[in-house]
Amino acid sequence: MFITFEGGEGSGKTTLIKRLAEALIERGYDIVQTREPGGSRIAEKIREVLLDKNNTELKPHTEALLFAASRAQHLDEVIIPNWDKIILCDRYIDSSYAYQGYARDLGYDYISKINAYALRYMPDLTFYIDIDPSIGMGRVNSKRGHKIDRLDSETFNFHERVREGYLKMKELDQKRFIVVDGNRTIDEIYSEVMNIILERL
Ligand code: TYD
């Protein structure tokens, strides 16, 4: 089972995934926990280029292609070899649809085209943790030790567009793409998501 987690900045995905992984391991499931961009040595190098705040001249098409490149490497090294396990992946192709396709205006078709490989390996379930970008960015800015990266530093308007982009994904795939209300406690979010996973397993 391939499960992905999506959200804007500061949505609490990472904490949620960690808790889910621990609970599923305790129940005896074989879990692989990973993330994008990155998750393998070479993909982490691409991640550095993408998130480096000094790379202000990085162009939208290059950005989208690098995310797709990192995804392809990560698919071959991590996702496909573990296809028989439960894979919990922090971000996948929906991030590209929301951030590059929608917020950067490259369009849905362009993202589909350059991610043709990933489209052959779609998640069984995707949880989008939906929060108001002003709350999310507030969390990111106040998090101690968090280095603000190139995408965190985008305008408020950009982050609003990311959210709109995600909400459009729901219209396209209601069965896979589940919108979770992120304006609740982590315990509440965790219970909802865990129940859905256990139902589907
Ligand atoms: P990360 O620090 O992993 O963010 P978070 O903790 O919020 O998940 O940084 C990943 C950033 O890359 C995040 O801002 C979203 C962005 N991104 C894209 O724009 N497109 C993509 O395809 C992916 C996978 C991520």
Side-chain angles (χ1 to χ4, degrees):
M1 192 172 196
F2 180 27
I3 308 174
T4 60
F5 297 83
E6 297 285 351
E9 315 305 324
S11 65
K13 277 183 292 103
T14 313
T15 317
L16 172 68
I17 297 169
K18 202 170 152 255
R19 272 187 70 172
L20 291 167
E22 284 165 5
L24 289 165
I25 289 168
E26 217 162 87
R27 286 170 186 255
Y29 290 105
D30 220 347
I31 301 294
V32 173
Q33 192 188 330
T34 186
R35 71 163 180 188
E36 277 202 7
S40 84
R41 191 178 64 86
I42 293 170
E44 288 289 334
K45 287 194 175 176
I46 303 173
R47 176 187 173 93
E48 278 170 33
V49 175
L50 280 164
L51 299 189
D52 186 342
K53 234 172 57 179
N54 297 318
N55 290 345
T56 49
E57 72 277 33
L58 190 69
K59 302 297 182 200
H61 287 91
T62 319
E63 178 183 286
L65 288 162
L66 286 175
F67 277 116
S70 161
R71 181 161 304 127
Q73 183 69 26
H74 179 247
L75 263 168
D76 276 339
E77 278 200 80
V78 181
I79 306 286
I80 298 171
N82 288 299
W83 201 246
D84 57 334
K85 307 205 175 100
I86 298 180
I87 304 168
L88 305 179
C89 186
D90 193 340
R91 298 191 181 280
Y92 192 60
I93 192 168
D94 297 299
S95 285
S96 285
Y97 283 126
Y99 283 76
Q100 283 70 49
Y102 196 83
R104 292 253 194 260
D105 230 357
L106 296 180
Y108 183 86
D109 291 344
Y110 179 71
I111 300 305
S112 298
K113 211 176 193 170
I114 64 172
N115 283 281
Y117 188 43
L119 287 173
R120 286 162 46 188
Y121 299 93
M122 282 305 278
D124 300 293
L125 266 178
T126 298
F127 293 101
Y128 165 58
I129 315 301
D130 183 38
I131 52 159
D132 186 324
S134 58
I135 297 174
M137 287 317 292
R139 285 188 195 160
V140 168
N141 291 326
S142 64
K143 203 155 110 194
R144 261 187 308 145
H146 178 79
K147 246 179 48 209
I148 300 290
D149 65 40
R150 198 175 55 83
L151 283 131
D152 291 331
S153 333
E154 280 291 342
T155 59
F156 180 67
N157 181 262
F158 177 85
H159 294 294
E160 292 249 272
R161 284 191 49 86
V162 168
R163 185 187 195 190
E164 279 171 36
Y166 272 126
L167 293 172
K168 290 226 174 302
M169 295 309 298
K170 180 181 159 57
E171 292 164 24
L172 296 177
D173 196 344
Q174 307 249 349
K175 201 164 157 260
R176 169 183 70 90
F177 195 88
I178 295 168
V179 178
V180 177
D181 176 5
N183 299 303
R184 294 173 300 167
T185 64
I186 176 76
D187 285 345
E188 287 169 315
I189 297 171
Y190 165 80
S191 308
E192 182 186 343
V193 171
M194 187 64 172
N195 283 338
I196 297 173
I197 294 175
L198 292 175
E199 255 169 43
R200 297 270 183 118
L201 272 172

